[in-house]
Amino acid sequence: MKESKYITIISNGKKIVLGISTILYVVMIKKVAEIHVSGGKIFETRMTISQLEKELGEGFIKINRGCLVSAIAIHEITDKIILNNGESLIYTIRKKNLIIEQFRLNQRNIINSFAKDGIPVTVEEYRKHYISFENMPFAFTDIEMIFDEEHHAVDWIFRYGNLALAKLEKTPLENLIGSSFGSLFKNMDQKWLQSYERATLYGETLEIIDYSPEIDTYLKVICFPTFKGHCGCILFDISDIKYTRNSNDAERALQLYFGIPTDENE
């Protein structure tokens, strides 16, 4: 049976259509369901957990009496459920094996769907595909994710990189291309994997601003899906970026960028 890709709800008196793939989890607050979607938005609606369980389908796991979680939104299961966006949820311990089983099934189905058709094979083919990035003043790379037998992302391989990437990574380009990140940098920080996995598996475009102990540099990274099983990354050394305010709208633009309420949309 083909499952619906959308769900229609009434929230604040308005009919809203949500893509099921954008829903991370649903939590019941008394008789109100809070639907948390990617991007940080929350929609409230008066539906029961049973109704939502039926509408959302088998891709969602009931982790306790009042919470449904999208299996593909799960990054890791420990004493809590860690989501791809960094949030954590409490679950009923006796459901741990079921949650792990469904999580692995979803990851496996996505990874098994990766087709090699249309993906460059040689270094020359990658360079031809990304020829427009060759002389860009910012670092760019296409990486292929490596998954373990439990379908967790554990590393990545550099398939393409420009000269600016070699300069940023402080490693010759010929040493980067075809090598895994973990083999080059033994002090690999796991935080990068979580975002790259999200971009690769779920098609999200994400921005990361963080410290890279591997190259002792504060970075701004924009990652996005490219080929199946791959993601592209644009990287900046934060010290090279200078912010300028060119208009009276700059302050509001910054507030919107960081998700800070403004007078206009409070």
Side-chain angles (χ1 to χ4, degrees):
M1 183 177 69
K2 188 176 180 181
E3 292 185 355
S4 173
K5 294 182 178 180
Y6 301 93
I7 181 173
T8 302
I9 64 169
I10 303 297
S11 182
N12 292 326
K14 297 180 181 178
K15 182 182 288 187
I16 296 174
V17 178
L18 297 176
I20 289 178
S21 64
T22 69
I23 299 174
L24 302 177
Y25 64 95
V26 177
V27 60
M28 297 300 300
I29 308 296
K30 295 184 178 180
K31 294 185 178 181
V32 176
E34 286 188 354
I35 301 177
H36 295 245
V37 302
S38 56
K41 290 187 177 180
I42 303 173
F43 296 92
E44 294 184 350
T45 187
R46 284 190 170 273
M47 295 177 71
T48 66
I49 196 74
S50 298
Q51 288 175 311
L52 286 162
E53 194 172 11
K54 182 178 179 181
E55 290 278 347
L56 294 176
E58 295 180 356
F60 283 74
I61 308 167
K62 191 174 183 181
I63 64 169
N64 59 48
R65 289 176 58 191
C67 187
L68 293 169
V69 180
S70 169
I72 64 171
I74 298 172
H75 173 70
E76 188 178 9
I77 301 169
T78 58
D79 57 331
K80 292 183 180 180
I81 291 178
I82 312 300
L83 302 184
N84 290 319
N85 66 355
E87 290 186 69
S88 61
L89 300 171
I90 297 172
Y91 65 94
T92 303
I93 294 298
R94 61 183 172 80
K95 288 181 171 284
K96 185 172 185 177
N97 290 338
L98 175 63
I99 294 168
I100 291 174
E101 181 182 347
Q102 192 159 351
F103 166 68
R104 289 178 178 170
L105 177 63
N106 277 265
Q107 295 285 81
R108 184 169 65 249
N109 288 342
I110 293 171
I111 293 166
N112 288 343
S113 73
F114 292 163
K116 296 297 182 182
D117 297 343
I119 299 179
V121 176
T122 65
V123 173
E124 291 72 25
E125 287 179 2
Y126 275 102
R127 288 191 65 184
K128 183 177 180 181
H129 182 82
Y130 288 118
I131 188 66
S132 59
F133 288 92
E134 285 285 285
N135 298 308
M136 288 294 180
F138 53 80
F140 173 77
T141 182
D142 181 292
I143 60 176
E144 180 180 1
M145 302 304 297
I146 300 173
F147 298 90
D148 64 15
E149 64 279 0
E150 294 184 348
H151 309 101
H152 292 295
V154 293
D155 205 344
W156 66 85
I157 298 171
F158 292 100
R159 291 305 184 190
Y160 169 82
N162 59 9
L163 290 174
L165 177 74
K167 181 180 178 182
L168 183 67
E169 299 285 0
K170 304 178 179 69
T171 305
L173 201 54
E174 59 267 25
N175 293 350
L176 285 171
I177 304 306
S179 298
S180 71
F181 188 82
S183 69
L184 296 171
F185 302 96
K186 301 303 181 184
N187 60 335
M188 177 181 181
D189 194 322
Q190 296 293 314
K191 64 173 172 265
W192 308 110
L193 278 171
Q194 189 168 338
S195 295
Y196 298 163
E197 181 182 45
R198 285 175 61 183
T200 299
L201 294 180
Y202 313 123
E204 294 185 86
T205 296
L206 302 167
E207 181 181 70
I208 315 149
I209 299 177
D210 214 323
Y211 174 68
S212 170
E214 300 91 348
I215 56 174
D216 189 25
T217 304
Y218 285 90
L219 296 176
K220 171 180 175 178
V221 181
I222 300 171
C223 60
F224 49 90
T226 53
F227 304 107
K228 290 288 188 181
H230 293 232
C231 80
C233 300
I234 298 173
L235 305 93
F236 301 91
D237 180 337
I238 288 180
S239 65
D240 293 337
I241 301 175
K242 294 179 176 61
Y243 177 74
T244 178
R245 288 175 170 81
N246 292 324
S247 73
N248 293 331
D249 292 323
E251 195 63 38
R252 182 168 187 272
L254 272 180
Q255 290 177 315
L256 292 172
Y257 180 76
F258 289 109
I260 301 171
T262 65
D263 291 339
E264 199 166 311
N265 62 7
E266 280 181 330

